Amino acid sequence: MLLLPLTLLALQAGLCRGACVEVDSDTEAVANEGFKLGCISCKMRAEVRAKAVVSWSFRGANDKDFSPLYEYEEKRGNIFDPRFEERLDWNGSKNTEDLQDGSIYILNVTFNDTGTYMCIFRRTLIYTNYQHENSTTKIIRLQVVPKLTRGMASILSEVMMYVSIIGLQFWLVVEMIYCYRKISAAGEEALRETEAEYLAVASESKENCGAVQEAE
């Protein structure tokens, strides 16, 4: 019962925004585990050809300035920060230069990875007679913890999700009961009308038979 409306909602969302949806990255990583740094920049007009370069920079908790971390261009990635050598991998758009997902994945997270990450999309929109360049910057402040903790916002979000699901289920049950009663009432009314018509026809036939017998 629940899967159908949720599927329809998902399809509607996909049609409204295409295949790209911008969501914020998680900001709490667990030490010694993997972690995805999300960075999504959706192209507003899907029909326009484009190519993009994604650059990442990192400023550690004890650093004053950002330093180059990673760059992905022409389907190839390069790591610039030796602290992340062999621990960083591309986790964004695949097999295309029209990048919309510029996420990266950190392997074996350490406490030294705590800090601020900057993701920059440099996109070139390719029109028939000209090209247009723009850039999008996103900042992610990452905190590395020994064990994953859940913030109040996450808890409230999950509670609201379950409340929405229960509310939707209740609405569907009420709608089904209403439709059942309406159909049932219509059926009973039709049955009464049919019965009345049958009695009227039977009565008329009986009167006709009586009149024929008197005439004879």
Side-chain angles (χ1 to χ4, degrees):
M1 182 185 297
L2 179 61
L3 290 177
L4 179 59
L6 288 180
T7 302
L8 293 175
L9 288 174
L11 289 175
Q12 284 183 334
L15 290 173
C16 292
R17 291 299 306 273
C20 180
V21 178
E22 294 191 16
V23 293
D24 294 333
S25 174
D26 290 333
T27 57
E28 191 172 82
V30 179
N32 302 318
E33 295 185 6
F35 182 78
K36 177 182 177 179
L37 279 168
C39 180
I40 299 176
S41 175
C42 296
K43 188 172 61 175
M44 300 305 296
R45 297 183 59 182
E47 72 277 8
V48 178
R49 290 178 54 231
K51 59 182 179 179
V53 177
V54 177
S55 301
W56 283 86
S57 300
F58 172 62
R59 184 178 65 196
N62 299 319
D63 297 337
K64 293 183 178 180
D65 301 314
F66 283 96
S67 59
L69 171 61
Y70 183 86
E71 185 173 85
Y72 190 87
E73 182 178 10
E74 296 181 348
K75 304 178 185 180
R76 293 192 302 270
N78 294 301
I79 301 173
F80 299 117
D81 194 323
R83 293 171 292 184
F84 292 86
E85 194 68 37
E86 297 184 354
R87 291 199 305 120
L88 198 60
D89 197 11
W90 177 251
N91 198 231
S93 302
K94 307 290 185 183
N95 302 318
T96 180
E97 292 186 43
D98 187 2
L99 306 175
Q100 298 190 79
D101 185 352
S103 304
I104 56 178
Y105 193 83
I106 304 176
L107 301 170
N108 192 26
V109 173
T110 70
F111 289 102
N112 291 329
D113 297 337
T114 295
T116 305
Y117 294 79
M118 181 167 58
C119 168
I120 301 177
F121 267 86
R122 299 196 307 276
R123 178 175 286 122
T124 302
L125 301 173
I126 304 172
Y127 296 93
T128 304
N129 299 319
Y130 69 100
Q131 297 183 355
H132 175 73
E133 297 184 354
N134 59 36
S135 65
T136 301
T137 301
K138 299 197 174 186
I139 300 295
I140 303 165
R141 293 176 176 82
L142 180 65
Q143 180 69 33
V144 180
V145 297
K147 184 179 180 181
L148 187 63
T149 59
R150 297 184 62 190
M152 182 59 66
S154 175
I155 296 174
L156 289 176
S157 177
E158 185 171 345
V159 170
M160 290 303 298
M161 179 187 70
Y162 284 115
V163 169
S164 300
I165 291 173
I166 294 172
L168 180 60
Q169 289 274 33
F170 178 75
W171 176 80
L172 289 173
V173 170
V174 171
E175 191 72 14
M176 289 178 63
I177 293 174
Y178 171 76
C179 292
Y180 172 78
R181 289 182 174 178
K182 190 173 181 179
I183 294 171
S184 179
E188 291 177 359
E189 183 66 25
L191 184 61
R192 284 195 295 269
E193 291 178 358
T194 303
E195 183 179 358
E197 291 176 359
Y198 174 77
L199 292 174
V201 170
S203 177
E204 184 178 353
S205 299
K206 185 176 181 180
E207 290 178 358
N208 291 338
C209 288
V212 170
Q213 289 178 355
E214 290 179 359
E216 291 178 351

